[in-house]
Amino acid sequence: MRLAGRVALVTGAARGIGLACAELFAREGASVLLADIARESGEAQAARLRNEELKAQFAACDVSRKAEVEATVAAAVGHFGRLDILVANAGIVHAAEFLDLEEADFDRVIAVNLKGIFLAGQAAARQMVRQGGGGAIVNMSSVNAVLAIPNQVPYVVSKGGINQLTKVMAISLAAHGIRVNGIGPGTIATELAKQAVLGSEEAKRKILSRTPLGRLGEPSEVASIAAFLVSDDASYLTGQTIYPDGGRLALNYTVPVV
Ligand code: NAD
């Protein structure tokens, strides 16, 4: 059990990649606070994990609101006594062509995806510095940090920003023994991907034509990288973003879809 005795906070943990991270961390021995705006499903998932004798609690939290993020870090400390790990994962999409995009939608996506990661990282790191002993933070980026989708303007901007945030956090927090890394998934089979890029068979074929491994990724295939990054196996790794993308970033042109 690589994370025995550690305390982890995962945002956007009611479903998808965040839930997979929370569940794997708990199976690796961590006490986990699942945070999400989706109270009902988040509470149900935490209860499901507790039924399996795992240590899990839920906190309602909108990551774009500073007071809620600070209260969530305090809740992690209240439940479990400290905080060693953060996965800043909550994220949303909004589809609109560049010429049509509304200012409010640009602001909303940036507030959740980019400011939310800053707020969670700052609140968690302040707690880690206060208690001493270092820590590990993972920011959920995307291949869209470096590749653009034309009708996902604020999303791709937010993810590009996250990669720089990961670097600046890593160098700012290194002296405190806090490591900060990013994960940039390709297309993972979740509700978000259904909304953003998997709307039809044709859309799915387009994705697969850009995916050398020939299939979508699973949330568990992102969670396993998060568990590595926050464990002592990655003790000399900081400031990096790792891309579980089925080979997408290595590919020019397309591959045949079977
Ligand atoms: P998802 O939609 O399945 O889950 C996202 C979770 O975040 C939901 O439970 C939602 O309620 C929660 N959430 C939304 N807004 C929130 C807020 N303001 N505060 C707190 N929680 C909030 O999405 P997913 O696919 O699991 O995505 C998780 C992360 O992974 C996102 O940052 C996303 O950009 C990133 N990502 C996903 C893919 C993919 O293909 N699925 C690819 C690259 C990156």
Side-chain angles (χ1 to χ4, degrees):
M1 295 226 283
R2 280 181 295 177
L3 303 180
R6 310 271 171 92
V7 177
L9 166 61
V10 182
T11 69
R15 69 180 190 190
I17 292 170
L19 176 59
C21 292
E23 182 156 352
L24 180 58
F25 289 10
R27 292 194 194 290
E28 290 278 3
S31 302
V32 185
L33 184 65
L34 290 76
D36 205 294
I37 45 171
R39 181 186 283 274
E40 210 174 307
S41 49
E43 269 171 357
Q45 293 296 347
R48 178 177 66 81
L49 297 180
R50 281 197 303 276
N51 281 340
E52 294 188 42
E53 308 293 318
L54 300 171
K55 295 181 218 81
Q57 295 289 337
F58 173 77
C61 172
D62 178 342
V63 295
S64 66
R65 294 173 188 269
K66 184 175 171 149
E68 293 186 28
V69 172
E70 289 177 344
T72 301
V73 168
V77 177
H79 283 299
F80 303 123
R82 55 187 290 115
L83 182 65
D84 305 293
I85 294 167
L86 166 70
V87 179
N89 162 80
I92 57 174
V93 290
H94 176 79
E97 297 303 330
F98 180 78
L99 292 176
D100 304 327
L101 180 63
E102 299 284 349
E103 181 184 0
D105 292 320
F106 183 91
D107 287 348
R108 187 168 53 86
V109 175
I110 297 293
V112 175
N113 292 17
L114 185 55
K115 192 173 91 171
I117 290 207
F118 159 69
L119 291 175
Q122 189 183 58
R126 282 177 174 166
Q127 172 59 32
M128 291 169 186
V129 169
R130 253 195 315 272
Q131 74 196 13
I137 296 176
V138 170
N139 294 331
M140 201 55 69
S141 182
S142 165
V143 289
N144 294 121
V146 290
L147 299 174
I149 303 179
N151 72 344
Q152 288 291 345
V153 179
Y155 184 82
V156 303
V157 170
S158 71
K159 296 300 180 180
I162 286 170
N163 280 21
Q164 282 297 81
L165 187 55
T166 295
K167 289 182 195 173
V168 78
M169 286 172 66
I171 58 176
S172 303
L173 298 172
H176 298 283
I178 300 169
R179 296 182 300 101
V180 186
N181 291 289
I183 303 180
T187 310
I188 310 299
T190 67
E191 285 302 316
L192 176 140
K194 268 187 218 160
Q195 267 179 48
V197 289
L198 296 173
S200 65
E201 262 314 296
E202 180 52 29
K204 187 174 172 191
R205 286 181 72 82
K206 250 195 219 171
I207 295 285
L208 292 181
S209 77
R210 301 277 295 110
T211 310
L213 286 182
R215 63 176 178 83
L216 304 178
E218 293 298 327
S220 63
E221 293 178 291
V222 180
S224 57
I225 292 169
F228 161 69
L229 287 174
V230 302
S231 78
D232 293 341
D233 290 344
S235 51
Y236 199 53
L237 190 62
T238 197
Q240 300 290 326
T241 295
I242 295 182
Y243 296 94
D245 68 351
R248 171 126 5 119
L249 289 181
L251 175 72
N252 197 353
Y253 305 118
T254 59
V255 292
V257 178
V258 285

